[in-house]
Amino acid sequence: MGKKRTFEDTMDDPSKPQSASPIVAMFEGFRSELDEHHDRRERVIKASRDITAASKKLIFSLQRVRKLNHPIPLFVVKANAQYWQTIESQYRAISSDLQRLNAYRYRSNITGGNQEFMEALSFQHYLETQSLISYEEAGHRIASMGGEGGSVLLTPEDYILGIFDMVGELMRFAITSMATSGKLPGGESRRQKHPREETSGGQDADKMELDRQVSGQDEQKPPRRDVLADLRELRLHLEGFDPPLGEKFADDVDKKIVVMRQCVEKVETALYGLVMRGQERPKGWIPDLTEQRRAPEQVEGY
Amino acid sequence: MAERYGMVNPAIFEDLQARVDEDTTVRDELRDIIQTLEKQSRSVQFVLSRAHSTLASAIPEVVTAAEGSIENEVETILKLSQAASKLPYYKWNAMWSRQIQDAAFGILFCGWLGGYTPKGSEAKPGRLLTIEEVGEIMKIPVNLKGVDSFHLTIEEYLQALISLVDELARLARNSVTLGDYRRPLLISQFIKDLHAGFQILNLKNDALRRRSDGIKYRVKEVEDVVYDLSLRNLVPKAGEI
């Protein structure tokens, strides 16, 4: 860059002999400011990518959880410890870059990581408590990881878009559970099935017997919801949410809402299949059902 | 607290809705101010465009008129600054960045033509107003780093400089048409200096980069004008200046 300065110096302007160097000095000032800005931006982008990758791994492990409304099993906690650590150290590393003015300046660079982490965080929260984590709680969670640099901002946009993605995880969770254990996680659906089983299933509903025992414990408590009920409820709230028109956020919501509806429908379709074949199962007519009957035993023995 | 709702506490979404609705209100308020600024900016450009058809001797009148209409702009910028300083700057900055760039360009061009001359010195063309000077004229701070408040950013100033380069390349040709053979030389040197300045910057692949790439073509355009003049022996000697 020094080359430029000599170029300037040799330029000879009779009307303003001093003009070149002040301009160069001025631009040198700008260069260092812009370099700082670009470096900060790069750091944030990199951290966002790492947070995204670690959050995806968190979700991957969490998908191995089978019990809803229980503490996360130890093997998942152990597997995920390193990813939590990665996420925390990434947030801590960039928190000082995202203070005051810069909180919003780089929000488009960190939003990817925030959304993915939001997805993981809300999914885990759901598995543990069968409820949706609040914006405040999620915000505190991320803020607390900022460490000495200050807290990292979670915008309502990050939160909402993360929750939209979490619907996909709930879908996967519900369908995997149905495939492996032949039932929808959560208690409510079992209760509803009772009358039907009694009238149609009859004496040879050996597997159903087991389910009934499980649901029998719930009967003293208030009726429990299953994942599908929760998905439908979440869908209502997300559909009821009205994003500001003409913003990029609104476009994102429009796209995600389509995917979300598909996710809910997939679970509904899967449940339909389960109910249909579930009735036929005792008769043993359909060959692949023998496999489905074995599967739950494996899981329970797990 | 009993379980009076299912999975979702309705308060979560009520709160989020309230937040984004508040943003919508803010956006509407700002939009009004920004639209006013845009209109005023157009009338500044309208005044300044007379420079292309005005002899150097009559330029001071154009400058005075432009300074007057820039004052209106500054009033609106003050309103914008008051409304926006309560808000996180970069959350909303994209809304007005374009208009602020245009306003800064008007000020820069006016300054180049001889406007905003410090008291006591003679008004002459070819002066580059610094970002600080532009900020002073706009009555807003520049390049804030710590405080989250309304200000003129470096990027906005640089964008305005690029607009100035484009405008001056046009002015170089029009000066010749008016019979002013000295101004193209001044312009040529001025935008060469700016070009050298921009080359110092390590620009990433962003809006600034894309636009600043055009500066070299402006430099060449003006060089061509100077070449045409020198070929015909029309370049004024240094002594005549």
Side-chain angles (χ1 to χ4, degrees), chain A residues 66 172 181 197 213 227 233 254-255 301:
Chain A
R66 286 290 150 264
R172 230 153 286 152
S181 67
E197 282 164 20
Q213 284 166 8
V227 181
E233 191 184 337
D254 279 352
K255 272 179 225 143

Side-chain angles (χ1 to χ4, degrees), chain B residues 12-26:
Chain B
I12 295 176
F13 283 93
E14 281 162 23
D15 167 61
L16 289 168
Q17 189 68 57
R19 281 171 196 267
V20 300
D21 287 351
E22 204 178 300
D23 284 357
T24 306
T25 316
V26 169

Side-chain angles (χ1 to χ4, degrees), chain A residues 124-142:
Chain A
Q124 172 157 343
H125 187 273
Y126 176 78
L127 291 176
E128 286 170 327
T129 65
Q130 209 187 344
S131 66
L132 181 70
I133 191 168
S134 73
Y135 172 58
E136 277 78 14
E137 195 180 338
H140 285 314
R141 198 64 186 268
I142 288 183

Side-chain angles (χ1 to χ4, degrees), chain A residues 8 33 100 107 233 242, chain B residues 7 17 90 145-146 196 202:
Chain A
E8 281 303 316
E33 297 275 342
R100 294 186 298 269
R107 72 184 186 285
E233 191 184 337
D242 194 11
Chain B
M7 176 204 184
Q17 189 68 57
Y90 278 106
K145 279 184 277 187
N202 304 318

Side-chain angles (χ1 to χ4, degrees), chain A residues 252-288:
Chain A
D252 292 343
V253 168
D254 279 352
K255 272 179 225 143
K256 294 205 178 208
I257 220 160
V258 176
V259 179
M260 179 202 63
R261 286 185 185 130
Q262 286 168 352
C263 285
V264 179
E265 264 177 54
K266 274 181 195 169
V267 177
E268 287 171 343
T269 309
L271 184 63
Y272 159 81
L274 190 71
V275 169
M276 286 298 280
R277 276 174 281 172
Q279 288 176 340
E280 291 160 7
R281 187 158 53 177
K283 293 169 192 160
W285 283 358
I286 295 172
D288 65 332

